Amino acid sequence: MLDDDRVWEMGYAASSPRPRSAEDWRQKIEQAVNDNRVMYVVRRIAGDNANGGPIVGTTSLGDIDVANERAHLGWTAYSPQVWG
């Protein structure tokens, strides 16, 4: 899903360049962890599949402020197959 140039061209991750190597991906994930983001996958609903449908996207909660009951929902991207 994130291994598609179209996702990055449409502005995912603030238009940062798409990671090309395992090390680039490790750094991107490490940065998200260091930013205290809570990362999720987005799945399609699958009728009979107990494990859920295919993964079609990602989203995160970040900038969490418990005292003021606020969080930033973002860093969201979907597979081009489900756009539209």
Side-chain angles (χ1 to χ4, degrees), residues 22-38:
E23 177 60 20
D24 291 344
W25 279 107
R26 185 196 64 75
Q27 289 176 2
K28 186 154 288 288
I29 292 168
E30 188 174 277
Q31 183 61 53
V33 170
N34 289 339
D35 290 342
N36 294 314
R37 287 196 354 233
V38 181

Side-chain angles (χ1 to χ4, degrees), residues 8-79:
W8 297 87
E9 290 165 1
M10 295 304 293
Y12 177 66
S15 299
S16 67
R18 173 184 165 205
R20 297 289 178 179
S21 68
E23 177 60 20
D24 291 344
W25 279 107
R26 185 196 64 75
Q27 289 176 2
K28 186 154 288 288
I29 292 168
E30 188 174 277
Q31 183 61 53
V33 170
N34 289 339
D35 290 342
N36 294 314
R37 287 196 354 233
V38 181
M39 298 168 272
Y40 297 91
V41 298
V42 178
R43 290 184 179 270
R44 291 192 76 123
I45 296 172
D48 297 340
N49 188 344
N51 295 322
I55 294 172
V56 296
T58 182
T59 193
S60 298
L61 290 175
D63 304 325
I64 298 170
D65 181 349
V66 176
N68 292 300
E69 300 178 350
R70 290 188 297 205
H72 173 178
L73 173 63
W75 305 275
T76 302
Y78 286 92
S79 171

